[in-house]
């Protein structure tokens, strides 16, 4: 045993955050704490890490001198502090410790932090860079207990892979909060599920947890059905016995035999009443309904085969080129995931395709019959002074339909009357996503839609998207989400777009079988993408003879280049 938590309860003023939290952490275990947003997961980490001492209950440590490193979601750094100074202080390295400095600089370099990054002020760092500082300190210190709160926040795919590899190889004990189900699967050996009423521990990773939860749900449903059946039988039996007793008692008069029979009925009735009391005292609770979203309200999507064409699109900020010669055909019913390193231009491309950004070279041609719905991270489609129910009804659904859909997204009861400006970021995300879907677009564009969503809401959202009948173009770093949703993968690299004609597994197989993508393979895939685009344009009977001649020339040039790469 490394630590044991018993009866932990936390209040903020008179508001109860959670109660009756009990769990055991053994040395070397890698434990994740999961639960709906707002249940108090970060608060629990603060208490375990010693940052919050205002609580009820007990925490028992096997070794009170245990070395602990706590990586919070937000770094509390004076804004003018230099990056290198901050990370050296975090690792307790002084200016004379050349060996320690050398080890730390090597770790920072391996994590992708250049010398120029280390001389920046901490306030200039992106969220991903700040997360790397936490990771660098953890790698250097190698604490016995590592506590991490949402360590995957702001990381791109390659950075996520680095984090995962470190946590898998880490020899100490890990406690973390994360909504990244791939990280939960590949790293964790124990799951602690938190609720406001307590906690429950499950052995294994996230997939194992979901299997155990499903078995629990079925068993609970069976017990509840038995309870309902037995209760109904007892109530009916008691009713009949009471009726028989009343009739027998009234008819008995002074007849000793009849009075004895009536008395016997009364005894049986009392026994059945006691049995009912025992049943009620230990009654099986009805299992909570598994939330699903019914999108039958949306009606049929467009029958058009091609919804949009992106033709030779480029974008620069001054002399800084972001996108160059981007070509893409967005086909109906397909679900495209757009990948790329942080800063590669993913959100910029979404803004261009959606029409938010009109300052670019090239062209985006939308099918006249197609409509676009765009979910953005800042929730610009919400009116902050309106109630939730009013905001959703604004899409044209009835009050009952709106309540049903909001309930699926975990907004229930009187919460539907809350103002948007009273909601947490996670709650606003849910409302914004639902409103975007209910606009009934043919092309749904989503920019990091799972940010701020807990694991339960993510699964509800995934089910909704799998029912969705149009095309989807999305950016996400949630690998579990990508695996479940994407039918095609696009990757922005060195300002250009490469299309992988398969799902995420196909993408991994083709692009990440090794640590880097070789240039020849990348060029071949880029040419194949461009060839697909040219073929699509040549099939359009509306193109001019001049454009057709240019496209045919480009078609044969691409074919020659592809033959070259096929010989390599």
């Amino acid at each position: 045993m490394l630590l044991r938590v018993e009866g932990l309860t936390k209040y903020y003023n008179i508001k109860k955050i959670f109660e009756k939290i009990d769990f055991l952490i053994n040395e070397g275990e890698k434990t994740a704490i999961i639960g709906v947003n707002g249940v108090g997961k970060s608060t629990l980490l603060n208490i375990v890490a010693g940052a919050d001492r205002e609580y009820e209950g007990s925490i028992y440590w096997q070794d009170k001198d245990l070395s602990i490193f706590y990586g919070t979601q937000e770094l509390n750094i004076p804004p003018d502090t230099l990056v290198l100074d901050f990370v050296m202080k975090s690792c307790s390295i002084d200016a004379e410790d050349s060996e320690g400095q050398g080890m730390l600089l090597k770790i920072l370099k391996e994590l992708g932090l250049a010398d120029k990054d280390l001389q920046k002020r901490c306030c200039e760092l992106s969220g991903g860079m700040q997360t790397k500082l936490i990771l660098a300190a953890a790698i250097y210190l190698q604490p016995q207990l590592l506590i991490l709160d949402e360590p995957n926040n702001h990381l791109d795919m390659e950075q996520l892979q680095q984090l995962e590899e470190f946590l898998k190889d880490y020899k100490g004990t890990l406690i973390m909060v994360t909504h990244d189900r791939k990280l939960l699967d590949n790293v964790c050996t124990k799951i602690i599920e938190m609720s406001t009423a307590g906690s429950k521990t499950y052995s294994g990773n996230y997939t194992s947890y979901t299997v155990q939860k499903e078995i629990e749900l079925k068993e609970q449903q069976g017990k509840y059905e038995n309870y309902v059946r037995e209760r109904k039988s007892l109530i009916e039996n008691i009713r009949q016995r009471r009726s028989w007793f009343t009739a027998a008692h009234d008819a008995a008069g002074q007849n000793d035999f009849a009075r004895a029979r009536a008395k016997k009925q009364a005894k049986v009735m009392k026994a059945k009443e006691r049995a009912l009391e025992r049943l009620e005292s230990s009654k099986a609770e009805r299992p909570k309904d598994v939330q699903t979203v019914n999108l039958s309200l949306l009606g049929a999507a467009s029958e058009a085969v091609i919804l949009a064409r992106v033709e030779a699109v480029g974008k620069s900020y001054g002399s800084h080129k972001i996108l160059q010669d981007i070509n893409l055909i967005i086909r109906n019913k397909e679900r495209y995931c757009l990948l790329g390193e942080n800063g590669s231009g993913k959100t910029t491309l979404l803004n261009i395709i959606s029409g938010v950004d009109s300052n670019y070279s090239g062209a985006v041609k939308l099918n006249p019959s197609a409509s676009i719905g765009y979910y953005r991270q800042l929730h610009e489609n919400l009116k902050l002074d309106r109630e939730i129910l009013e905001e959703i009804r604004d899409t044209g659904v009835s009050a009952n339909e709106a309540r049903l859909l909001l309930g699926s997204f975990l907004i229930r009861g009187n919460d539907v009357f809350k103002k948007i400006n009273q909601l947490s970021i996670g709650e606003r995300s849910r409302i914004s996503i639902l409103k975007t879907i209910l606009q009934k677009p043919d092309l749904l564009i989503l920019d990091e839609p799972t940010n701020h969503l807990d694991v339960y809401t993510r699964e509800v959202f995934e089910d909704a998207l799998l029912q969705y009948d149009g095309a989807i173009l999305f950016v996400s770093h949630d690998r579990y989400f990508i695996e479940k949703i994407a039918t095609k993968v696009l990757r922005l690299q060195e300002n250009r777009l490469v299309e992988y004609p398969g799902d995420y597994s196909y993408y991994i197989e083709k692009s990440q079988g090794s640590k880097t993508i070789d240039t020849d393979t990348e060029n071949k895939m880029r040419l194949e993408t461009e060839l697909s685009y040219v073929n699509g344009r040549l099939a359009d009977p509306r193109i001019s003879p001049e454009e057709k001649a240019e496209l045919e020339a480009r078609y044969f040039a691409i074919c020659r280049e592809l033959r070259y790469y096929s010989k390599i």
Side-chain angles (χ1 to χ4, degrees):
M1 180 200 84
L2 190 81
L3 74 100
R4 186 172 76 251
V5 171
E6 291 183 355
L8 208 62
T9 300
K10 174 68 180 179
Y11 287 86
Y12 280 129
N13 298 321
I14 61 172
K15 183 183 178 183
K16 181 176 69 178
I17 307 302
F18 54 72
E19 66 177 348
K20 301 175 184 175
I21 301 296
D22 301 287
F23 59 83
L24 178 73
I25 302 291
N26 293 309
E27 191 172 347
E29 286 182 332
K30 295 176 181 177
T31 302
I33 299 170
I34 66 172
V36 298
N37 286 341
V39 79
K41 301 183 294 294
S42 295
T43 302
L44 178 59
L45 292 190
N46 281 337
I47 291 171
V48 173
D52 183 347
R53 300 186 183 277
E54 298 293 325
Y55 60 88
E56 299 172 12
S58 303
I59 301 178
Y60 301 97
W61 296 89
Q62 184 185 44
D63 180 2
K64 293 190 177 181
D65 296 324
L66 189 78
S67 60
I68 300 174
F69 181 84
Y70 181 26
T72 58
Q73 287 192 49
E74 300 294 336
L75 295 179
N76 185 18
I77 316 170
D80 290 331
T81 304
L82 294 179
V83 170
L84 185 58
D85 292 342
F86 167 75
V87 74
M88 283 180 60
K89 185 177 178 181
S90 299
C91 296
S92 301
I93 299 173
D94 58 41
E96 288 74 36
D97 186 356
S98 58
E99 183 180 353
Q101 288 185 46
M103 287 176 60
L104 180 60
L105 289 171
K106 182 181 178 183
I107 292 167
L108 290 165
K109 186 175 181 180
E110 288 174 352
L111 290 174
L113 284 154
D115 290 341
K116 62 179 181 180
D117 295 320
L118 302 180
Q119 299 309 316
K120 290 179 179 178
R121 294 180 302 161
C122 288
C123 62
E124 299 177 74
L125 291 185
S126 66
M129 286 293 192
Q130 290 191 23
T131 303
K132 283 186 177 185
L133 297 187
I134 294 173
L135 188 54
I139 293 171
Y140 178 83
L141 293 169
Q142 290 292 315
Q144 292 168 282
L145 174 60
L146 178 60
I147 302 175
L148 298 175
D149 192 4
E150 296 282 9
N152 52 296
N153 278 0
H154 313 296
L155 299 183
D156 60 32
M157 287 296 192
E158 291 181 8
Q159 294 164 347
L160 271 173
Q161 194 63 40
Q162 284 181 318
L163 171 66
E164 186 176 298
E165 291 302 321
F166 165 68
L167 294 179
K168 283 163 70 174
D169 294 339
Y170 174 62
K171 302 303 181 186
T173 304
L174 170 69
I175 304 174
M176 72 172 170
V177 168
T178 181
H179 298 310
D180 188 316
R181 291 159 293 174
K182 208 69 177 173
L183 202 60
L184 291 170
D185 255 351
N186 294 343
V187 171
C188 293
T189 58
K190 179 185 282 187
I191 304 289
I192 296 172
E193 182 187 60
M194 268 187 80
S195 70
T196 54
S199 61
K200 186 164 184 180
T201 300
Y202 297 83
S203 60
N205 61 8
Y206 180 75
T207 297
S208 175
Y209 156 79
T210 59
V211 171
Q212 292 174 69
K213 285 291 289 183
E214 187 175 353
I215 292 170
E216 274 184 11
L217 189 65
K218 287 179 179 177
E219 288 178 349
Q220 191 177 353
Q221 182 66 34
K223 288 177 182 178
Y224 177 73
E225 288 172 0
N226 287 339
Y227 157 75
V228 170
R229 191 162 44 247
E230 190 173 347
R231 183 176 182 272
K232 183 179 179 182
S233 175
L234 282 169
I235 289 172
E236 177 61 22
N237 198 300
I238 290 167
R239 187 191 65 78
Q240 288 179 355
R241 297 286 178 184
R242 183 173 286 117
S243 176
W244 293 343
F245 167 75
T246 302
H249 186 270
D250 291 345
Q254 299 301 314
N255 187 315
D256 290 341
F257 177 72
R259 287 165 64 183
R261 288 186 63 188
K263 190 175 181 180
K264 183 178 180 181
Q265 290 294 342
K267 285 183 178 179
V268 174
M269 182 179 70
K270 290 292 184 185
K272 295 295 183 182
E273 287 175 342
R274 287 193 295 272
L276 180 60
E277 287 175 7
R278 288 194 299 273
L279 182 67
E280 293 289 14
S281 67
S282 59
K283 73 175 184 178
E285 295 293 335
R286 181 176 183 174
K288 290 184 180 179
D289 294 332
V290 176
Q291 295 299 324
T292 57
V293 181
N294 183 359
L295 293 185
S296 59
L297 301 171
L298 297 185
S302 170
E303 293 301 319
V305 176
I306 295 175
L307 299 181
R309 296 179 186 273
V310 179
E311 300 178 353
V313 162
K315 174 75 177 181
S316 298
Y317 292 108
S319 61
H320 182 50
K321 190 174 291 184
I322 302 295
L323 302 173
Q324 180 180 355
D325 196 26
I326 302 297
N327 296 291
L328 174 65
I329 296 175
I330 298 177
R331 301 180 186 277
N332 206 352
K333 317 296 184 187
E334 293 285 4
R335 301 190 292 268
Y336 301 86
C337 174
L338 177 61
L339 300 178
E341 294 180 1
N342 288 342
S344 61
K346 301 185 295 294
T347 297
T348 300
L349 182 56
L350 295 190
N351 285 341
I352 289 171
I353 294 172
S354 66
V356 170
D357 185 348
S358 58
N359 184 20
Y360 58 90
S361 60
V364 175
K365 298 178 180 178
L366 298 177
N367 189 309
S369 67
S371 59
I372 290 179
Y374 187 17
Y375 167 80
R376 304 173 72 186
Q377 294 187 55
L378 297 180
H379 314 136
E380 289 94 334
N381 64 334
L382 298 181
K383 296 176 182 176
L384 299 182
D385 61 338
R386 300 178 82 177
E387 293 179 352
I388 295 173
L389 186 61
E390 181 185 10
E391 190 73 358
I392 295 302
R393 287 204 63 191
D394 195 42
T395 63
V397 298
S398 69
N400 285 339
E401 289 169 340
R403 277 183 170 276
L404 178 66
L405 290 161
L406 286 166
S408 301
F409 276 75
L410 308 181
I411 307 287
R412 306 187 184 102
N414 289 332
D415 286 347
V416 301
F417 300 113
K418 284 182 178 178
K419 298 273 191 182
I420 301 295
N421 57 19
Q422 297 175 319
L423 304 180
S424 67
I425 294 177
E427 288 169 327
R428 290 188 193 187
S429 297
R430 283 180 255 163
I431 303 305
S432 182
I433 287 169
L434 182 55
K435 187 175 179 182
T436 304
I437 292 174
L438 289 175
Q439 290 170 350
K440 307 178 184 179
D442 302 301
L443 172 58
L444 187 60
I445 300 178
L446 306 168
D447 190 8
E448 295 284 8
T450 60
N451 278 4
H452 313 296
L453 300 184
D454 57 53
V455 291
Y456 311 106
T457 311
R458 290 183 188 204
E459 291 180 350
V460 170
F461 180 45
E462 286 162 0
D463 290 340
L465 292 183
L466 291 174
Q467 293 179 56
Y468 189 72
D469 202 29
I472 302 172
L473 172 63
F474 68 95
V475 169
S476 178
H477 294 138
D478 184 337
R479 294 164 293 172
Y480 205 99
F481 178 80
I482 296 168
E483 281 185 354
K484 199 167 181 179
I485 300 301
T487 59
K488 295 279 179 67
V489 174
L490 313 169
R491 181 174 176 84
L492 277 172
Q493 189 163 343
E494 297 178 356
N495 308 328
R496 296 181 181 273
L497 188 71
V498 179
E499 182 173 352
Y500 294 80
D503 60 12
Y504 188 64
S505 298
Y506 176 87
Y507 163 76
I508 293 296
E509 178 187 345
K510 294 297 181 183
S511 72
Q512 295 181 350
S514 60
K515 290 289 182 182
T516 57
I517 304 173
D518 67 87
T519 305
D520 290 336
T521 300
E522 183 185 336
N523 286 337
K524 185 178 177 183
M525 296 190 76
R526 178 179 56 79
L527 288 167
E528 288 171 345
T529 300
E530 188 178 355
L531 187 65
S532 174
Y533 161 74
V534 170
N535 268 328
R537 290 294 296 141
L538 284 170
D540 188 343
R542 296 170 296 178
I543 62 173
S544 66
E546 294 79 7
E547 185 181 358
K548 184 176 181 181
E550 290 178 7
L551 288 168
E552 285 176 343
R554 182 57 187 149
Y555 175 86
F556 290 116
I558 294 170
C559 289
R560 284 193 296 273
E561 288 186 71
L562 282 172
R563 279 198 295 273
Y564 165 77
Y565 284 112
S566 297
K567 294 175 184 177
I568 296 178

